[in-house]
Amino acid sequence: MKFFVDTADVDAIRELNDLNLVDGVTTNPSLIAKSGRDILEVTKEICDMVDGPVSAEVVATEYEAMIEEGRKLAEIAPNIAIKVPLTLDGLRACKTFTSEGQMVNVTLCFSANQALLAAKAGATFISPFVGRLDDINIDGLELIADIRQIYDNYGYETQILAASIRSANHMSDCAKIGADVATAPPAVIKAMANHVLTDKGLAAFLSDAKTAGIKIV
Ligand code: G3P
């Protein structure tokens, strides 16, 4: 499963990139606003840092304006994935961009029917929001499983990009279900390495090494 980092924080991306844990980056208007940076400037800096797809989201809601904004974002770098909302205008824009060979990430997906429409519009990525469904007591991981089944039934090439990831368990659950990608905040990706028994075991090893006076260099 590929790891995308869900942030516009360039320092956090750089830290994870140095750990080879970044296969791509996803941003959205809220994350760009949180960075306090100009969207074109910060997106360019991220694209220069990361080899994989970088999702940059339009803020227009009408088809014509989405096309204009999407083309402006695509000019930033070849690894841009234009992010459009799962609306009828967004799906129409998706079809136009993908027919022009542009990567498209269709976002704000909350149902299997929405994901089916995105695949038929030729989306490169579909972003179902796991955490936001969990927030309203709907099983977000079940949606990932339903989309996986539908896409496999018909051989759709759209990649399932599990989004709104809230925990390390969400990551392993998405991997078990067979999501192609999961995008998570930096802290969640780092937390995947944590295990109390690893810490306990390491402490015991180090204590025994010290007692025995083990010296390697
Ligand atoms: O980038 C889209 C999505 O991952 C946002 O997640 O945490 O705001 O629900 P969240």
mmCIF file of all heavy atoms in Angstrom, residues 155-194:
data_model
loop_
_atom_site.group_PDB
_atom_site.id
_atom_site.type_symbol
_atom_site.label_atom_id
_atom_site.label_comp_id
_atom_site.label_asym_id
_atom_site.label_seq_id
_atom_site.Cartn_x
_atom_site.Cartn_y
_atom_site.Cartn_z
ATOM 1 N N GLY A 155 -12.889 -4.384 -12.894
ATOM 2 C CA GLY A 155 -11.536 -4.085 -13.365
ATOM 3 C C GLY A 155 -11.263 -2.599 -13.537
ATOM 4 O O GLY A 155 -10.456 -2.190 -14.373
ATOM 5 N N TYR A 156 -11.955 -1.778 -12.733
ATOM 6 C CA TYR A 156 -11.698 -0.331 -12.816
ATOM 7 C C TYR A 156 -10.271 -0.042 -12.348
ATOM 8 O O TYR A 156 -9.816 -0.586 -11.344
ATOM 9 C CB TYR A 156 -12.687 0.444 -11.951
ATOM 10 C CG TYR A 156 -14.079 0.495 -12.526
ATOM 11 C CD1 TYR A 156 -15.165 -0.011 -11.811
ATOM 12 C CD2 TYR A 156 -14.318 1.038 -13.777
ATOM 13 C CE1 TYR A 156 -16.453 0.027 -12.338
ATOM 14 C CE2 TYR A 156 -15.595 1.081 -14.315
ATOM 15 C CZ TYR A 156 -16.655 0.573 -13.590
ATOM 16 O OH TYR A 156 -17.914 0.598 -14.124
ATOM 17 N N GLU A 157 -9.566 0.863 -13.061
ATOM 18 C CA GLU A 157 -8.168 1.159 -12.711
ATOM 19 C C GLU A 157 -8.031 2.292 -11.710
ATOM 20 O O GLU A 157 -6.941 2.583 -11.234
ATOM 21 C CB GLU A 157 -7.393 1.458 -13.992
ATOM 22 C CG GLU A 157 -7.302 0.208 -14.881
ATOM 23 C CD GLU A 157 -6.520 0.437 -16.145
ATOM 24 O OE1 GLU A 157 -6.031 1.572 -16.337
ATOM 25 O OE2 GLU A 157 -6.413 -0.528 -16.916
ATOM 26 N N THR A 158 -9.152 2.935 -11.386
ATOM 27 C CA THR A 158 -9.096 4.007 -10.399
ATOM 28 C C THR A 158 -8.508 3.472 -9.090
ATOM 29 O O THR A 158 -8.912 2.414 -8.618
ATOM 30 C CB THR A 158 -10.497 4.573 -10.159
ATOM 31 O OG1 THR A 158 -10.989 5.105 -11.389
ATOM 32 C CG2 THR A 158 -10.484 5.674 -9.108
ATOM 33 N N GLN A 159 -7.530 4.182 -8.535
ATOM 34 C CA GLN A 159 -6.903 3.729 -7.289
ATOM 35 C C GLN A 159 -7.696 4.225 -6.077
ATOM 36 O O GLN A 159 -8.106 5.394 -6.039
ATOM 37 C CB GLN A 159 -5.470 4.254 -7.206
ATOM 38 C CG GLN A 159 -4.560 3.712 -8.300
ATOM 39 C CD GLN A 159 -3.153 4.260 -8.168
ATOM 40 O OE1 GLN A 159 -2.524 4.153 -7.115
ATOM 41 N NE2 GLN A 159 -2.682 4.907 -9.223
ATOM 42 N N ILE A 160 -7.912 3.337 -5.113
ATOM 43 C CA ILE A 160 -8.618 3.708 -3.885
ATOM 44 C C ILE A 160 -7.611 4.374 -2.951
ATOM 45 O O ILE A 160 -6.664 3.738 -2.496
ATOM 46 C CB ILE A 160 -9.242 2.477 -3.214
ATOM 47 C CG1 ILE A 160 -10.216 1.779 -4.163
ATOM 48 C CG2 ILE A 160 -9.931 2.876 -1.913
ATOM 49 C CD1 ILE A 160 -10.768 0.471 -3.631
ATOM 50 N N LEU A 161 -7.839 5.668 -2.687
ATOM 51 C CA LEU A 161 -6.952 6.471 -1.831
ATOM 52 C C LEU A 161 -7.722 6.747 -0.545
ATOM 53 O O LEU A 161 -8.485 7.706 -0.457
ATOM 54 C CB LEU A 161 -6.590 7.771 -2.563
ATOM 55 C CG LEU A 161 -5.447 8.629 -2.097
ATOM 56 C CD1 LEU A 161 -5.217 9.793 -3.066
ATOM 57 C CD2 LEU A 161 -5.597 9.159 -0.703
ATOM 58 N N ALA A 162 -7.545 5.885 0.444
ATOM 59 C CA ALA A 162 -8.270 6.041 1.704
ATOM 60 C C ALA A 162 -7.825 7.327 2.394
ATOM 61 O O ALA A 162 -6.629 7.550 2.606
ATOM 62 C CB ALA A 162 -8.011 4.833 2.605
ATOM 63 N N ALA A 163 -8.803 8.194 2.715
ATOM 64 C CA ALA A 163 -8.493 9.508 3.280
ATOM 65 C C ALA A 163 -9.199 9.692 4.618
ATOM 66 O O ALA A 163 -9.944 8.814 5.047
ATOM 67 C CB ALA A 163 -8.923 10.598 2.298
ATOM 68 N N SER A 164 -8.948 10.845 5.250
ATOM 69 C CA SER A 164 -9.503 11.124 6.573
ATOM 70 C C SER A 164 -9.126 10.004 7.524
ATOM 71 O O SER A 164 -9.944 9.420 8.225
ATOM 72 C CB SER A 164 -11.016 11.302 6.479
ATOM 73 O OG SER A 164 -11.575 11.680 7.728
ATOM 74 N N ILE A 165 -7.836 9.664 7.489
ATOM 75 C CA ILE A 165 -7.277 8.589 8.318
ATOM 76 C C ILE A 165 -6.924 9.173 9.684
ATOM 77 O O ILE A 165 -6.247 10.198 9.763
ATOM 78 C CB ILE A 165 -6.034 7.985 7.635
ATOM 79 C CG1 ILE A 165 -6.405 7.322 6.305
ATOM 80 C CG2 ILE A 165 -5.320 6.994 8.561
ATOM 81 C CD1 ILE A 165 -7.260 6.083 6.406
ATOM 82 N N ARG A 166 -7.376 8.511 10.747
ATOM 83 C CA ARG A 166 -7.231 9.093 12.081
ATOM 84 C C ARG A 166 -6.276 8.319 12.989
ATOM 85 O O ARG A 166 -5.924 8.825 14.059
ATOM 86 C CB ARG A 166 -8.612 9.145 12.758
ATOM 87 C CG ARG A 166 -9.644 9.968 12.000
ATOM 88 C CD ARG A 166 -9.304 11.455 12.020
ATOM 89 N NE ARG A 166 -10.116 12.259 11.116
ATOM 90 C CZ ARG A 166 -11.402 12.549 11.292
ATOM 91 N NH1 ARG A 166 -12.038 12.105 12.355
ATOM 92 N NH2 ARG A 166 -12.065 13.280 10.425
ATOM 93 N N SER A 167 -5.907 7.081 12.610
ATOM 94 C CA SER A 167 -5.089 6.279 13.517
ATOM 95 C C SER A 167 -4.212 5.288 12.750
ATOM 96 O O SER A 167 -4.489 4.989 11.580
ATOM 97 C CB SER A 167 -6.015 5.454 14.436
ATOM 98 O OG SER A 167 -6.715 4.489 13.656
ATOM 99 N N ALA A 168 -3.198 4.760 13.447
ATOM 100 C CA ALA A 168 -2.328 3.736 12.844
ATOM 101 C C ALA A 168 -3.154 2.491 12.505
ATOM 102 O O ALA A 168 -2.922 1.832 11.486
ATOM 103 C CB ALA A 168 -1.199 3.386 13.806
ATOM 104 N N ASN A 169 -4.164 2.192 13.332
ATOM 105 C CA ASN A 169 -5.018 1.029 13.035
ATOM 106 C C ASN A 169 -5.773 1.215 11.730
ATOM 107 O O ASN A 169 -5.969 0.263 10.966
ATOM 108 C CB ASN A 169 -6.007 0.789 14.183
ATOM 109 C CG ASN A 169 -5.318 0.178 15.393
ATOM 110 O OD1 ASN A 169 -4.189 -0.314 15.281
ATOM 111 N ND2 ASN A 169 -5.974 0.238 16.539
ATOM 112 N N HIS A 170 -6.203 2.465 11.456
ATOM 113 C CA HIS A 170 -6.857 2.728 10.166
ATOM 114 C C HIS A 170 -5.920 2.327 9.024
ATOM 115 O O HIS A 170 -6.344 1.759 8.013
ATOM 116 C CB HIS A 170 -7.182 4.223 10.033
ATOM 117 C CG HIS A 170 -8.555 4.611 10.495
ATOM 118 N ND1 HIS A 170 -8.937 5.938 10.642
ATOM 119 C CD2 HIS A 170 -9.646 3.873 10.840
ATOM 120 C CE1 HIS A 170 -10.192 6.006 11.027
ATOM 121 N NE2 HIS A 170 -10.651 4.750 11.159
ATOM 122 N N MET A 171 -4.626 2.602 9.186
ATOM 123 C CA MET A 171 -3.659 2.289 8.113
ATOM 124 C C MET A 171 -3.588 0.776 7.874
ATOM 125 O O MET A 171 -3.740 0.303 6.740
ATOM 126 C CB MET A 171 -2.284 2.843 8.492
ATOM 127 C CG MET A 171 -2.183 4.356 8.552
ATOM 128 S SD MET A 171 -2.430 5.141 6.947
ATOM 129 C CE MET A 171 -0.811 4.932 6.206
ATOM 130 N N SER A 172 -3.411 0.009 8.935
ATOM 131 C CA SER A 172 -3.288 -1.445 8.732
ATOM 132 C C SER A 172 -4.618 -2.036 8.255
ATOM 133 O O SER A 172 -4.634 -2.940 7.414
ATOM 134 C CB SER A 172 -2.826 -2.128 10.025
ATOM 135 O OG SER A 172 -3.599 -1.695 11.130
ATOM 136 N N ASP A 173 -5.743 -1.479 8.738
ATOM 137 C CA ASP A 173 -7.051 -1.990 8.272
ATOM 138 C C ASP A 173 -7.232 -1.714 6.785
ATOM 139 O O ASP A 173 -7.722 -2.576 6.045
ATOM 140 C CB ASP A 173 -8.184 -1.344 9.079
ATOM 141 C CG ASP A 173 -8.248 -1.865 10.508
ATOM 142 O OD1 ASP A 173 -7.779 -3.006 10.738
ATOM 143 O OD2 ASP A 173 -8.718 -1.126 11.400
ATOM 144 N N CYS A 174 -6.821 -0.541 6.328
ATOM 145 C CA CYS A 174 -6.927 -0.221 4.897
ATOM 146 C C CYS A 174 -6.036 -1.144 4.073
ATOM 147 O O CYS A 174 -6.420 -1.586 2.985
ATOM 148 C CB CYS A 174 -6.540 1.234 4.660
ATOM 149 S SG CYS A 174 -7.791 2.403 5.223
ATOM 150 N N ALA A 175 -4.869 -1.466 4.619
ATOM 151 C CA ALA A 175 -3.957 -2.379 3.908
ATOM 152 C C ALA A 175 -4.564 -3.780 3.832
ATOM 153 O O ALA A 175 -4.496 -4.439 2.796
ATOM 154 C CB ALA A 175 -2.606 -2.408 4.618
ATOM 155 N N LYS A 176 -5.198 -4.218 4.914
ATOM 156 C CA LYS A 176 -5.823 -5.553 4.917
ATOM 157 C C LYS A 176 -6.966 -5.635 3.904
ATOM 158 O O LYS A 176 -7.139 -6.651 3.239
ATOM 159 C CB LYS A 176 -6.345 -5.894 6.320
ATOM 160 C CG LYS A 176 -5.258 -6.308 7.295
ATOM 161 C CD LYS A 176 -5.838 -6.844 8.602
ATOM 162 C CE LYS A 176 -6.101 -5.710 9.581
ATOM 163 N NZ LYS A 176 -6.578 -6.207 10.918
ATOM 164 N N ILE A 177 -7.699 -4.540 3.773
ATOM 165 C CA ILE A 177 -8.837 -4.500 2.836
ATOM 166 C C ILE A 177 -8.338 -4.428 1.388
ATOM 167 O O ILE A 177 -8.987 -4.909 0.472
ATOM 168 C CB ILE A 177 -9.751 -3.298 3.141
ATOM 169 C CG1 ILE A 177 -10.443 -3.488 4.498
ATOM 170 C CG2 ILE A 177 -10.766 -3.059 2.038
ATOM 171 C CD1 ILE A 177 -11.105 -2.222 5.032
ATOM 172 N N GLY A 178 -7.151 -3.832 1.233
ATOM 173 C CA GLY A 178 -6.588 -3.730 -0.117
ATOM 174 C C GLY A 178 -6.724 -2.355 -0.749
ATOM 175 O O GLY A 178 -6.824 -2.236 -1.966
ATOM 176 N N ALA A 179 -6.735 -1.294 0.090
ATOM 177 C CA ALA A 179 -6.694 0.056 -0.477
ATOM 178 C C ALA A 179 -5.370 0.206 -1.229
ATOM 179 O O ALA A 179 -4.355 -0.351 -0.813
ATOM 180 C CB ALA A 179 -6.779 1.101 0.641
ATOM 181 N N ASP A 180 -5.374 0.942 -2.346
ATOM 182 C CA ASP A 180 -4.141 1.138 -3.104
ATOM 183 C C ASP A 180 -3.224 2.119 -2.397
ATOM 184 O O ASP A 180 -1.999 1.969 -2.432
ATOM 185 C CB ASP A 180 -4.478 1.656 -4.505
ATOM 186 C CG ASP A 180 -5.380 0.696 -5.263
ATOM 187 O OD1 ASP A 180 -4.874 -0.343 -5.702
ATOM 188 O OD2 ASP A 180 -6.603 0.959 -5.341
ATOM 189 N N VAL A 181 -3.843 3.134 -1.773
ATOM 190 C CA VAL A 181 -3.115 4.204 -1.103
ATOM 191 C C VAL A 181 -3.869 4.558 0.175
ATOM 192 O O VAL A 181 -5.094 4.407 0.236
ATOM 193 C CB VAL A 181 -3.065 5.490 -1.970
ATOM 194 C CG1 VAL A 181 -2.138 6.539 -1.356
ATOM 195 C CG2 VAL A 181 -2.678 5.197 -3.419
ATOM 196 N N ALA A 182 -3.157 5.022 1.184
ATOM 197 C CA ALA A 182 -3.792 5.675 2.327
ATOM 198 C C ALA A 182 -3.063 6.983 2.565
ATOM 199 O O ALA A 182 -1.835 7.022 2.495
ATOM 200 C CB ALA A 182 -3.737 4.790 3.565
ATOM 201 N N THR A 183 -3.839 8.063 2.799
ATOM 202 C CA THR A 183 -3.217 9.344 3.082
ATOM 203 C C THR A 183 -3.509 9.706 4.526
ATOM 204 O O THR A 183 -4.658 9.649 4.965
ATOM 205 C CB THR A 183 -3.667 10.458 2.124
ATOM 206 O OG1 THR A 183 -2.842 11.613 2.344
ATOM 207 C CG2 THR A 183 -5.124 10.810 2.288
ATOM 208 N N ALA A 184 -2.463 10.048 5.254
ATOM 209 C CA ALA A 184 -2.610 10.259 6.691
ATOM 210 C C ALA A 184 -1.774 11.438 7.157
ATOM 211 O O ALA A 184 -0.772 11.777 6.528
ATOM 212 C CB ALA A 184 -2.177 8.998 7.440
ATOM 213 N N PRO A 185 -2.184 12.056 8.278
ATOM 214 C CA PRO A 185 -1.359 13.121 8.855
ATOM 215 C C PRO A 185 0.016 12.572 9.249
ATOM 216 O O PRO A 185 0.140 11.375 9.566
ATOM 217 C CB PRO A 185 -2.155 13.532 10.092
ATOM 218 C CG PRO A 185 -3.558 13.070 9.837
ATOM 219 C CD PRO A 185 -3.427 11.819 9.010
ATOM 220 N N PRO A 186 1.040 13.418 9.259
ATOM 221 C CA PRO A 186 2.401 12.948 9.599
ATOM 222 C C PRO A 186 2.466 12.165 10.900
ATOM 223 O O PRO A 186 3.112 11.106 10.950
ATOM 224 C CB PRO A 186 3.184 14.251 9.694
ATOM 225 C CG PRO A 186 2.449 15.204 8.808
ATOM 226 C CD PRO A 186 1.014 14.830 8.894
ATOM 227 N N ALA A 187 1.762 12.617 11.914
ATOM 228 C CA ALA A 187 1.833 11.948 13.229
ATOM 229 C C ALA A 187 1.306 10.522 13.164
ATOM 230 O O ALA A 187 1.839 9.621 13.835
ATOM 231 C CB ALA A 187 1.027 12.756 14.249
ATOM 232 N N VAL A 188 0.288 10.288 12.333
ATOM 233 C CA VAL A 188 -0.280 8.943 12.212
ATOM 234 C C VAL A 188 0.722 8.007 11.535
ATOM 235 O O VAL A 188 0.938 6.878 11.973
ATOM 236 C CB VAL A 188 -1.610 8.976 11.435
ATOM 237 C CG1 VAL A 188 -2.060 7.566 11.063
ATOM 238 C CG2 VAL A 188 -2.690 9.682 12.241
ATOM 239 N N ILE A 189 1.380 8.502 10.502
ATOM 240 C CA ILE A 189 2.360 7.663 9.796
ATOM 241 C C ILE A 189 3.520 7.314 10.743
ATOM 242 O O ILE A 189 3.933 6.157 10.833
ATOM 243 C CB ILE A 189 2.861 8.372 8.525
ATOM 244 C CG1 ILE A 189 1.720 8.513 7.515
ATOM 245 C CG2 ILE A 189 4.049 7.620 7.911
ATOM 246 C CD1 ILE A 189 2.067 9.303 6.266
ATOM 247 N N LYS A 190 3.981 8.281 11.518
ATOM 248 C CA LYS A 190 5.077 7.999 12.460
ATOM 249 C C LYS A 190 4.630 7.042 13.565
ATOM 250 O O LYS A 190 5.398 6.176 13.998
ATOM 251 C CB LYS A 190 5.614 9.303 13.051
ATOM 252 C CG LYS A 190 6.385 10.142 12.042
ATOM 253 C CD LYS A 190 7.284 11.173 12.685
ATOM 254 C CE LYS A 190 6.514 12.397 13.103
ATOM 255 N NZ LYS A 190 7.449 13.475 13.602
ATOM 256 N N ALA A 191 3.354 7.176 13.972
ATOM 257 C CA ALA A 191 2.843 6.318 15.062
ATOM 258 C C ALA A 191 2.797 4.854 14.661
ATOM 259 O O ALA A 191 2.784 3.963 15.520
ATOM 260 C CB ALA A 191 1.447 6.798 15.466
ATOM 261 N N MET A 192 2.817 4.585 13.355
ATOM 262 C CA MET A 192 2.792 3.193 12.894
ATOM 263 C C MET A 192 3.991 2.411 13.396
ATOM 264 O O MET A 192 3.954 1.192 13.506
ATOM 265 C CB MET A 192 2.737 3.139 11.372
ATOM 266 C CG MET A 192 1.462 3.701 10.766
ATOM 267 S SD MET A 192 1.557 3.776 8.975
ATOM 268 C CE MET A 192 1.420 2.021 8.564
ATOM 269 N N ALA A 193 5.075 3.120 13.697
ATOM 270 C CA ALA A 193 6.307 2.440 14.146
ATOM 271 C C ALA A 193 6.261 2.096 15.624
ATOM 272 O O ALA A 193 7.063 1.301 16.105
ATOM 273 C CB ALA A 193 7.517 3.347 13.876
ATOM 274 N N ASN A 194 5.302 2.679 16.338
ATOM 275 C CA ASN A 194 5.268 2.520 17.793
ATOM 276 C C ASN A 194 4.712 1.166 18.232
ATOM 277 O O ASN A 194 3.729 0.684 17.683
ATOM 278 C CB ASN A 194 4.403 3.620 18.437
ATOM 279 C CG ASN A 194 4.938 4.996 18.140
ATOM 280 O OD1 ASN A 194 6.082 5.145 17.694
ATOM 281 N ND2 ASN A 194 4.116 6.004 18.350
#
